[in-house]
Amino acid sequence: MNRQRRKEERQRRAEDRGQWASKTEYILVVAGNVVGLGNVWRFPYLCYKNGGGAFLVPYGVFAVLFGIPLFLLETSIGQYTQEGFATCWTKLCPLAQGVGYGHIIIKMFDLSYIIIQAWALFYLIFSFSSQLPWASCENSWNTADCLSLHNLGSNSTNRTVLKNTSSAAIEFWERRVLGMSGGIEELGSVRWELALCLLVCWTFCYFSIWKSVRSSGKVAYVTATFPYVMLVILLIRGVTLPGALDGIYYYLYPDINRLANVKVWIEAGSQIMFSYSLTAGTLIALGSYNEYNNNCYKDCFWISLLNSGTSFVAGFVIFSVLGFMAQSQGVTVDTVVESGPGLAFIAYPQATALMPLPQFWSVCFFLMLLFLCIDTHVRYLIYITF
């Protein structure tokens, strides 16, 4: 009798709170949450920096030791309590309720993620220009020290001269997009184009969650799958470029001696925590919208495998293009390798500008970047608001 009453109570609360319309929606939403910029602009660089193929050893060890188990633990907590991260503690340990609310305050910082989304949208708009603005120095924001990609890629260019110049891509990023001032004491003015892009991004995020999981689950059909389409297109194009094998060699060449360095193991562990979204609270929040008896064991295993596999494949996409860029400029791959915003908004745009049909490849890349940002940011909003 008590069991039947508890079951009816769970069903009533699930109807009031909402649930995923199908398991497919849940898998797509969680996949969109864990697969993000860390897979594209952080993992490949860490792999290259920390021993190439040898880095996969500590990465795989930590994925098995605590990556997948913690992924399962957090999902199970949400599914069992049917509560988000802030309120699940009332059922687990009422004395620890402050942990959830304190964590929400900390995670408010993650709302800054949408700024990257606005940058990606800004670059996407300029990708439809007849001439990519980060490829030439014929723009109003360029300085006398600007060096266009055509001259940058010339083998005859004096390398000592390069030290006293800045590329067109760097000037576009620093002077056109960011409008960087001379220092913190110079506030500068509002970048109205970026402000408008930010407004568009916030509007899209609002309509993605305005009906709770009922709307965000439907949005995930596009935002979670489209980046993979773009990733496959960019992979096929990247590995067919001249110099791609040089870039892939730098990416995967194993340096076994690096395994004796503790820092390599630390960075492998931090990458697992970052890319699996562990201790972020989002897995608990997303799992709480599952059915109480959902088989989360299988879900967590396959999503974890998808996450790590995406990171590995993204390395080929990034380093094949960097290898092409290095060959075009007559330099070694290690001189063009970047991580974080430097990769997404300087190195890769430069590479797309050197390809045939540069506008098409630029649109593909920034569309992928935009949807990756949307997926991650929307999940943080679900965690904070629901």
Side-chain angles (χ1 to χ4, degrees), residues 54-281:
F55 180 73
L56 299 178
V57 174
Y59 180 85
V61 169
F62 287 140
V64 173
L65 286 182
F66 67 82
I68 299 177
L70 282 180
F71 195 101
L72 174 61
L73 174 65
E74 294 194 32
T75 303
S76 301
I77 289 175
Q79 186 171 310
Y80 173 73
T81 61
Q82 297 286 290
E83 299 283 352
F85 185 84
T87 54
C88 70
W89 296 97
T90 58
K91 294 184 177 180
L92 297 175
C93 179
L95 286 174
Q97 291 183 57
V99 173
Y101 294 106
H103 195 268
I104 284 182
I105 295 175
I106 295 174
K107 298 305 288 183
M108 293 293 286
F109 170 76
D110 287 324
L111 294 180
S112 61
Y113 210 92
I114 201 168
I115 296 175
I116 303 175
Q117 188 177 326
W119 291 340
L121 178 60
F122 190 79
Y123 268 82
L124 177 63
I125 295 171
F126 273 95
S127 296
F128 291 96
S129 305
S130 58
Q131 183 181 17
L132 296 179
W134 50 82
S136 68
C137 296
E138 302 171 358
N139 306 289
S140 59
W141 58 82
N142 291 128
T143 65
D145 297 327
C146 177
L147 193 64
S148 67
L149 286 185
H150 175 73
N151 294 327
L152 193 64
S154 175
N155 292 329
S156 60
T157 303
N158 192 329
R159 298 299 163 194
T160 58
V161 174
L162 292 179
K163 296 180 181 180
N164 301 320
T165 60
S166 59
S167 69
I170 292 177
E171 291 202 352
F172 179 79
W173 169 244
E174 293 182 351
R175 299 175 61 85
R176 181 66 180 87
V177 180
L178 301 182
M180 293 176 63
S181 62
I184 194 173
E185 70 280 358
E186 299 179 23
L187 294 181
S189 59
V190 176
R191 310 292 296 179
W192 292 107
E193 304 99 325
L194 283 180
L196 182 59
C197 289
L198 193 62
L199 176 62
V200 171
C201 293
W202 272 117
T203 304
F204 185 88
C205 288
Y206 169 77
F207 284 106
S208 296
I209 64 171
W210 74 319
K211 291 186 178 180
S212 182
V213 294
R214 297 178 183 86
S215 57
S216 59
K218 300 298 184 293
V219 171
Y221 280 101
V222 177
T223 59
T225 57
F226 189 78
Y228 283 97
V229 176
M230 294 294 98
L231 201 64
V232 171
I233 293 175
L234 292 172
L235 174 64
I236 295 173
R237 179 53 182 158
V239 296
T240 56
L241 289 170
L245 291 179
D246 295 334
I248 295 173
Y249 173 83
Y250 268 83
Y251 169 47
L252 290 178
Y253 178 75
D255 184 3
I256 305 300
N257 296 327
R258 296 285 294 168
L259 294 179
N261 190 337
V262 177
K263 186 177 179 182
V264 173
W265 292 80
I266 293 175
E267 292 195 337
S270 67
Q271 176 63 17
I272 289 292
M273 297 291 291
F274 181 70
S275 65
Y276 277 52
S277 295
L278 302 177
T279 70

